[in-house]
Amino acid sequence: MAKKLVIKVTAGADSPERCSQAFTVAAVAVASGVEVSLWLTGESSWFALPGRAAEFELPHAAPLPDLLDSILAGGRVTLCTQCAARREITEKDVLDGVRIAGAQVFVQEATTDDVQALVY
């Protein structure tokens, strides 16, 4: 197993099953002791804002706020710089623990030894 898991989630309410899968895998990995870096891009960018995860609904899925809280508690959550800019989201707007970083940081994380990268 990889020592670190980098997950990029591109989907939000526009593709709820794909979005939920990414957050679920990230949360399960954190709970399993895997080092997790979750990247919010595209429509998932909105979940970097307070209260937005609570608006997400998918039957028979774990509540997104619970998954996000567990990922923030044991892993790292990053909002894509360009995605944030397109949505006029700044560092002062995001949840505590969410950083904003760009493609260079993603590539660095995803290409490090012993890393498995997943994109949803």
Side-chain angles (χ1 to χ4, degrees):
M1 181 188 305
K3 294 181 183 175
K4 184 173 181 181
L5 189 58
V6 176
I7 300 172
K8 179 184 273 195
V9 55
T10 63
D14 59 324
S15 184
E17 287 185 305
R18 195 162 33 111
C19 176
S20 180
Q21 289 168 359
F23 278 86
T24 300
V25 167
V28 168
V30 166
S32 300
V34 175
E35 185 179 342
V36 173
S37 178
L38 178 69
W39 282 73
L40 305 176
T41 67
E43 285 303 299
S44 72
S45 299
W46 296 113
F47 300 127
L49 298 174
R52 292 303 285 263
E55 297 172 7
F56 181 87
E57 293 184 19
L58 181 63
H60 309 291
L64 201 62
D66 295 347
L67 297 173
L68 181 55
D69 286 348
S70 68
I71 298 162
L72 283 166
R76 170 179 279 159
V77 178
T78 305
L79 171 59
C80 162
T81 301
Q82 289 182 10
C83 299
R86 280 190 282 275
R87 290 161 180 80
E88 299 181 359
I89 300 172
T90 67
E91 289 181 356
K92 67 180 180 177
D93 300 319
V94 300
L95 294 163
D96 287 340
V98 173
R99 70 175 176 167
I100 297 177
Q104 179 184 5
V105 176
F106 176 79
V107 169
Q108 182 182 17
E109 285 187 11
T111 59
T112 302
D113 289 340
D114 297 323
V115 171
Q116 174 67 52
L118 303 173
V119 178
Y120 286 87

